[in-house]
Amino acid sequence: ALPSLSPSQQKALELAHLHGYYTFPRKINLGKLSKIANVRVATFREHLRKAENKLMPLLTQRIWKPEES
């Protein structure tokens, strides 16, 4: 089952993905993303990190144990 993300966490993750935050090199930084989301940088960073921390265990489990997924 997917972890439950708050609306703010969902928005942060969607914006980060949509605007190329996870590409290499990054196409956008947290400052610009926070302006798009109309929140302070620290707030955006917190929402994004919380979303990533909720999803990471699921992703790593599927990478390391794909036969159990």
Side-chain angles (χ1 to χ4, degrees):
L2 289 175
S4 176
L5 301 179
S6 74
S8 298
Q9 292 166 358
Q10 287 180 345
K11 181 178 180 181
L13 198 60
E14 288 173 14
L15 286 174
H17 178 69
L18 178 67
H19 291 280
Y21 181 75
Y22 294 110
T23 62
F24 183 81
R26 287 190 168 137
K27 295 181 179 177
I28 196 165
N29 60 36
L30 289 175
K32 290 178 182 175
L33 285 168
S34 69
K35 286 182 182 179
I36 293 168
N38 200 30
V39 297
R40 296 178 136 193
V41 175
T43 302
F44 189 87
R45 181 186 301 115
E46 180 180 346
H47 294 318
L48 185 59
R49 296 293 180 247
K50 284 184 177 182
E52 291 169 342
N53 283 330
K54 286 181 179 181
L55 294 172
M56 198 55 61
L58 177 66
L59 294 174
T60 55
Q61 178 186 19
R62 289 191 177 186
I63 290 168
W64 291 326
K65 299 177 185 178
E67 67 281 352
E68 297 177 16
S69 300

